Amino acid sequence: MVKKIAIVLFFIMTSCNFEKPTQFSTEALQDTLYDVSHKKYSFQQVLEQYKGKKIVIDVWASWCRDCIRGLPQLKELQRKFPEVTYLFLSVDTNVNSWKRGIQHYQIKGEHYNLPKGMKKGALVDFLNVSWIPRYVVIDENGKITLFKATKASDKNIEKVLKNS
């Protein structure tokens, strides 16, 4: 009996990892972000600015050790795929720390802040952000082609950038 319960729990837990939406929810698209000038946008407005381009979204924070460790691999992606838009969504709740992190680590790309942080908000809920960094790839048609990567070195990122 215990073995059967363990097997059922295993399938329930792993089935959650297979969630691969291809479009953002309406609620996620309506979530609020701020640029470095503190101008307010909906996530949909941000995505519309890059319509027709491939986008790599990096959900990160200046205090996140794994995010910082992944920057060299992300910069390598930027070198290999310069035509791609790199959209950095910070979950820093301290705006000054976020801005200092961009400067200190010389992060090139488009920068926005999710002011509610990592635990609240429709976009982080949709992405099911339980760990950062988190990478999402969107193709030229606005379709999510890679929903969940936790390392910039994930070979699936390059694969979808080459194929989409």
Side-chain angles (χ1 to χ4, degrees), residues 96-162:
N96 291 327
S97 294
W98 164 53
K99 290 179 182 180
R100 279 193 306 270
I102 294 168
Q103 293 298 319
H104 180 76
Y105 298 110
Q106 301 176 358
I107 305 170
K108 305 291 183 217
E110 307 303 321
H111 295 277
Y112 295 87
N113 180 259
L114 294 162
K116 297 176 189 171
M118 189 169 139
K119 302 292 183 193
K120 297 177 185 162
L123 183 55
V124 293
D125 286 349
F126 174 82
L127 293 173
N128 193 19
V129 175
S130 57
W131 189 264
I132 54 175
R134 171 71 178 280
Y135 305 94
V136 178
V137 180
I138 302 170
D139 71 11
E140 300 91 336
N141 300 312
K143 179 183 173 190
I144 300 170
T145 55
L146 180 65
F147 182 66
K148 188 173 187 177
T150 57
K151 293 185 179 193
S153 60
D154 187 322
K155 295 299 177 198
N156 290 317
I157 296 174
E158 279 195 45
K159 182 179 175 183
V160 296
L161 289 176
K162 287 178 184 174

Side-chain angles (χ1 to χ4, degrees), residues 21 29 35 47 54 58 70 76 91 120 130 143 146 152 158:
L29 290 169
D35 68 8
L47 291 178
K54 294 177 192 175
D58 180 349
E76 180 63 19
V91 294
K120 297 177 185 162
S130 57
K143 179 183 173 190
L146 180 65
E158 279 195 45

